[in-house]
Every structure is written in structure tokens, then in C-alpha cells.
Amino acid sequence: MKSVAITLFPFLLVIVAICFSFCDPTSDVLCIESERKALLKFKNDLVDPSNRLSSWVEGGDCCKWLGVVCHNTTGHINQLHLAAPLSVPQFDSPVAEWETYHPSKNNSTLRGKINSSLLELKHLSSLDLSNNNFSSNIPKFLGMLGSLTYLNLSHAQFQGGIPHNLGNLSKLQYLDLGGNDLKPRSLQWVSGLSSLQYLDLSGADLRKATDWLQVTFEHPSLLALHLSACSLEDYPSPISVNSTKSLVVLDLSENNFSSVPMSIFGLHGLVSIDLSGNSLEGPIPDYFRNISFLEVLDLSRNSLNSSTPNSLFSLNHLQFLNLSSNEIDQDISEILLSLSRCCLDCLESLDMAHNDLFGHLVDQLGHFKNLAHLSLAGNNISGPIPLSIGELSSLKFFDVSENQLNGTFPLCFGQLESLETLNLGFNLLEGIVSETHFSNLTKLTTLEASQNRLRFEPNSSWIPPFQCRIIKLSQWHLGPKFPRWLKFQKNLSVLDISEAGISDILPTWLLNLSTQFEYVNLSCNQLTGGISYLNVREIVDLRSNRFTGQLPRVFPTLQYLILSNNLFSGPLFELVCNSLREGPMECLAIERNLLSGEIPDCWNHWRGLGYLNLENNNLTGKIPPSLGHLNLLVLNLRNNGMFGELPSTLQHSTSLIMLDLSDNHFSGSVPAWIGDKLSKLEILSLRSNNFDGHIPQKICQLQSLRILDLGHNNISGAIPKCFSNLSAMANKGNQNTYMFQWSSISTNNFFYLRALLVLKGRQDVYSTILGLVTSICLSTNRLIGEIPKELGSLVELRSLNVSRNLLIGNIPDEIGNMKLMESLDLSMNQLTGEIPSSFSNLNFLNHFNVSYNNLTGQIPTSTQLQSFGNLSYMGNHLYGPPLTKNRSTNRTPTDVANNGSRSEGSNVNWLYVSIVLGFVMGFSGVVAPLFYIRSWRHAYYRKLDHIGRKLYMS
């Protein structure tokens, strides 16, 4: 809770800041001519795109102009209020509202030059130019407006230094320069502001203003000091400061302190301290007990550890305590009991989210009668939620998400008539929830309880008493019917009912509600039906359902569209080419559907798209050239029917980290520009296509490449020796999680990238552990020559498959240096010589195959090599364990011309014998009786006739 909310802030300062709204600007007194002319000169130098100053015209009464306040009797202008009319959005408001709030993107902001004609306003006591966009230095002449008592230049895009002559404003009581890009070298000028009570320099760079502490802490009249995000650091040595007794509010948040400045503890009159967002380390200092009148203490977002000191619980005026996002390791029951002894009747807000708290919530929690805000999210608290929670009649915000709470959803929540936000998500709650749990929650706007084992069974005619903006009930059991009570939510913006056991047709009323959805997640249900239009502003996740029909039209600002694993069919043309876009679509995932036709060539207005996944559809044709002009991170077209050569425009996709074009019919040579231009590539799969030619040497320039799959093509030539330059396979580095994340103000979700890889002799989908995989697969091509010994330098490689090629020569000893190797397949080549003794170092091998080569000699002795069966070694001239005979008798030749196929010789093939025996037994046991037993035969034909009639009638 920010300190500006202190109720004990002196009334004098409040009056100075807000009295302007009570003055009478509509008196009959006409403004003074010279002052009218001064204002017109001031207007002429301004840029006013929204025409806010349209009332400022020649000959008019300036006392009636917008933002102008004149004295009731003298007619002199004494107040000028030209702040841009911006209302601060709620913390969970959509991103668009926050962007509009920023002055640089708001058309109502004034711009241009501030004319010195304001000096003609000799009686001006209040000047407010905040929230505009002047993009210039603060004018020096403002220091000559000697009558000013109130000056607000905050968030007006001022830059550079602060004029020292502002220190001449001896009557100034309120000065707000926060939210600009100011870089003063000294604050000595503040000492001249002898009447100053409120100072805000938040956002200014005070690294060179080393006198900040002495000037501000010793100021005799200063009541409130805000120096948030000023790049302040610890002093190298202690500084003696004669601290004033006047300071009431101190905000030093978002700086770089590693310890609490000791001078603070001499400010005995402080009521509010904000040190959030620093780098504070170690235990919380005991010295806070010296500040006995403290009401607000915010130490959140630091690295404070240990437990809370007992001295903190001697602050018997404490109303707001925020210790969230630290490393406090303590039993929550101890903290609650200690707080109940010091501030049972005054505590209004307690936030200890994201620490290392453990233990159980105790019944004393219900005794904090004035508690309105309680957040304990992201800890290790266990046990049930105490029933005494129902006694917190003032409670508005309750968040215990991401803990280990168990038991049921307490019925007493229905008594909390003031509750606005309820978050129980990501716990172990179970049981049945009924309407009674929500009976009196008329003020509820946020309901989040995902990832629990709860079942909601309201009456089908139930109408909720609340109007929520956010509802997240993922993994609740809400089905099988679609929850009809959602129909009555008129303010709903965020909805997540994924994995909710719903097997129903998606009702048309959901996406036709009067509300404007920001985020909708209906994934992992069994929803059916078609969708014509998605009225959602930012994020839609409908994956893993059974939706059918054409792809839906989407809202112009939609950023994330996830329709994976459904039954959508038809072409992409309408969605891609005829959608009106008002912002970038960042993610388009329509894999595992029934889409058909070609990918249209109209991606030019999709700039900003980072993730495109169309795998496992029925798409045909070539890759359109315009697709290459997007700044994609991920492009996955796997398992379609696409063909042709890769368009050269793809080389412009220089941000690609994953390119998967496998299981198509692409042809031509592997382009050299892949290695030359796509330098950030980490996953490259061109598997199962018709590529030919040689592997380009420039592939070796891909320093970040972790997975290379060129298997099942017609590639010829030698394996490049320069593969040793693939440094991500040679050097230990950071493992990528390959997590694609999307977020807005009110939600944060992600999914892992998927890749279908052939490793360890089988084909599997890798997702959450994809970042652990390093692999090269060149199998089933026409590669010739020897295996380069340089491959041995790729010591981080986990899988190497060069099987089914035409490779010759000895296996390099250096392969034994790849000690992390888990899968090695060299089978069906023409390799000679012995298995290198260095292979005994491969202790992590769980798949190994050198079969059907011309290898000789004894198999090296090691734990791993002896754990594989005969199949891994057959078709060679090897001996020794694990082979059952001293020398391999299976010398089945490899037919090189058939690229690894083999002739079986004259041995009996027991597979065929078993097939014949199975057929004979099946025939004699089932088919033969139909010929010899009349009743069986008649019954069989009647059944066939019955089935045929049903098919015909349908």
C-alpha cells in the first residue's frame, strides 16, 4: 500500500493540493486584459491536437476559459490547471487502457513550447501542467513566478537538469516533478524552498546528486518526500545527518539500496516508509521499533530473509504491512499471533505473498476486524482454511493462491459481504461447491480458484448475486453441460474454464454477451459446434476440443489465437487475407486440424506475428513468399502435403529459433542461407522430404543450433567436418525451456514448444524437456565418406543418428569423448574396423546400434555396451559379450545398393511360419463352422442384412 494513502497526512497540504476544485471560476468579474493577452501568447506556442483550449479566444472572458481560475474580487488569474484529462486505469484494466494513459500516446496532451508570457501572471499561485508531452527542458523562468505555492510538472516528458532558480520560490509548498527524465547534478536548490511541504522527484536520475540525503532529510518544513526510481545507492561510508522531525511520508522505492539507510531511523515522526523494489538483503533491521508512530511499512520486492523480528511487532499503530516477494522463512501462525498482540484492531492490510512461509492458518486470523486486504499467495502454507475467515466483515481482497492448502472450500466465504477479490487458485482444495458459498458476495468482481479438485453443482436456474470481471475456474468440474449461470455476467472480461469436464455445444450467447472479452480460455474440454466470430480483444485459447466448420473471424486487436487440436476445416484465406487488423497478432496456432488448400500469400499485414504453427493439417502448395517477411520466432508446417523449393524470402526471418518443415514434399537443395541468415536458429527439422544435394557448409555457422534433423531425404556428399563449430552442441550453456508465454494485466499463461523427434530408435513428441535435447539426425540419406572425427568435439550432444547411409571407414575414436551421449545409431552403413575402446566411456547410453556394417573384433567391455542385445550388433563380425557365442555367426550381408536393406539367406523365417499357423487356426475356429453349421451361417447373414438396412436408412 503506497504511502500517499496515509490518512494522517496534514490537512494543510491536502487543502493546498485540492482546494482549486472549490474555487468559483464563474464569477462575474472579468479578467484583466494584460493577463488575457499573456494567456493567448502562451496558447499560440502550444500544440493542442484535441483542441482542449478552444474556449481561449480573442475578446473572451479568460476567467471562464478552461483551466483558468481568477480571484473572486480582484479578477487576477491565480490558478492555471492544464493537466491532461487522464484517469488512471485500474491495476487489472486491459493493456489498451494503460497504453492510452501514457502521455506519449494520448491525443489530449498539450505539446510545444511553454511561453514566458506566464510571467505576466503576477498573482499566479497554482500551476499544473502535468500529464502532457512537452519533451523539453523545464523552463528557467518558472523560478521567477514568486507567488507560486503549488507547481505540478509531473509526467509531462520534461528532460535534462532542474533549474536551480526554482529554489527562489520561497512560498512554494507543493512541488511535483515526478515521472520525467530529469538528471540533476545537485539538490541544493531545494534548501531555498523554505515553505516546501511536499516534494516528488520520482523517476529523476539522482546518481550525481550526492547531496540528496542531507538536503531532504534536514529540510525544516518538508512533510512528504517521494524519491522513487531515482537510482539511489548505498553511501560508501556513514553520513551524519541532523534529521528533521517534520517528515511524515518517505518513499524510496525502486532504488538500489542493499541495506536500509540508517538515517531513516532518526526520523521518529515518520508515519509511512516505502522501501519496496530495492536490493535489501539479510534480516529486517530491529531499528524500525524507533519509529513508534509508523502506520505504513512497505519492504516488498527485496531479498530480505530470516524471520520477521519481534521489534516489528511492537509497532502498535501499524495499518499496512507489505513484506511480499522476499525470502522470509517463518511459520505463518507465529506471524499472525504476533500481529494479533500488537495491532489486532488497527491492521488493515497484510501482504506476505511470495516468500517461504509455512505452517497453518490459525483461527486468530478471524479476529482482525478491520482487515481489508490479505495476500499470502506463493508460499508453502498447508492445512485447511480456518472457518473464522467468515468473521472478517471488512475483508475486500483475499489471495492464498499457490500454496498447499487442503480441505474444502469453506462455506463461510458466503458471509463476506465486502469481498471483491477471491483467489484460491493452485491449491489442493476438494469437494463440492454450491450456491451457498456465494450467497452474499454481491460485490465480488474477481473469482480465481483454478487448479483445485472442486466440483460446482449449482441449480440450473441459479442467478449469481455478483457481477464478476474475472472468472478463472480451470480444472473445476463444471460439466457436462455448459455453465448457464455465466449468461448473467454482464461485466465479464476474463474467463478461464479450461479442463472443466464440459461436453456440450458451445452456446451462442457466450460470445454474444454485452461484455467485451479480453481473454477466453475454454481449452481441453469436449466442446462442439461451429464458431463464426470471436469477440475477444487479446487472447483466445480453444485448443483440444471438437469444434468444427470454417475458421472463425476474429476481433481486429486479437493478439493470441490458439485453435490447436480441433476439427476446423477449410482454407486459411478468409482468416489470413480478409481479417481487419488494428494491432499485431503475436501467436497463431492451428495445428492438428483439418485445414486444406494452400497457405495464402497475404501475410504482409501480419507484421508482429512471432509464432505460427500449422502442423498436422492437409495444406498443400508452396510456402508463400510473403510469409518470409514476418519476423517469426517459430514456424512449424510439419506433416502437411506442401511441396516445392523453400522461398528465398524466408532468409529475412532472422529471428527464427525453430523451423520445422518435416514430413512434407519439399525439394531442391538445402539452402545455404539457412546457415548464413538464420543465425538464431536452435531447432531445424527438414526430415522426410525430398531434399537433395550436399549439406551446405554454412549450416556450421549456426552457433545456437541444438537440434538438426535432415533424415529421410536424398542428401548426398560427405558429412561436413565443420559440424564441430556447432558450439551449442559442444559447449555447456543455458538450457532453453522453449516456453511461449502470453500475458495481459489480468492473466498470464504459457505453452511449451513441441517437436517430433526420432531419438533412441523411436519417434516421440518432446515438449517440456525439449530444452534438454541436443541431437543430430542424418539417417536414411545417401551420405558417403567417413564419419568425421571432428564430431567428437560435440561433447554436449545427446543423440547422433547417421544410420542407413553409405558411410565407410573406421568409427572415430573421438566419438568416445561424447560422454553425455544417450543414443548412438551407426547401423546399416559400410563401416569397418573395431568398435573403439573409448566407447566404454559412454556411460549414459540407453540406445546403441551398429548393426549391419562390416565391423570386426571384440566388443569393448563396459557396463553400457554389454547391456544391449544381439540386435544392436548383428550383421557384423564381432564377438564377446553380450553376443551369445564367442564370435558372431550372423553375417547377414548388407545390400548397399538398397541403402541398408538386407537379404535373409536360407534360414527359416519364423515370423512367416507363425503368420501361416495363425491363419490356419483362425480359419478352422471361425470361418470353417460357417460352412458346416447351418444355424451359424443363417444367423451371420441375418446380422449382415440388418446392418446393411440400418446403413441404407441413415
Side-chain angles (χ1 to χ4, degrees), residues 152 167 340 418 424 517 667 687 781 788 851 855:
N152 189 346
S340 67
S418 300
L424 306 174
F517 279 108
S667 58
R687 182 183 185 85
N781 280 287
S851 63
L855 300 174

Side-chain angles (χ1 to χ4, degrees), residues 6 152 188 197 255 273 397 456 530 664 724 840 939:
I6 304 302
N152 189 346
Q188 193 58 46
Q197 298 181 18
N255 283 292
I273 298 176
F397 184 99
F456 190 28
N664 281 283
S724 59
S840 59

Side-chain angles (χ1 to χ4, degrees), residues 483-501:
R484 189 173 179 275
W485 55 270
L486 289 172
K487 186 175 184 178
F488 304 101
Q489 298 300 297
K490 305 303 182 185
N491 301 323
L492 199 56
S493 177
V494 173
L495 176 63
D496 183 353
I497 50 173
S498 58
E499 299 182 66

Side-chain angles (χ1 to χ4, degrees), residues 852 874-877 887-894:
Y852 299 107
M874 66 190 306
N876 288 287
H877 305 275
R887 290 184 179 272
S888 173
T889 57
N890 187 352
R891 299 180 181 177
T892 306
T894 299

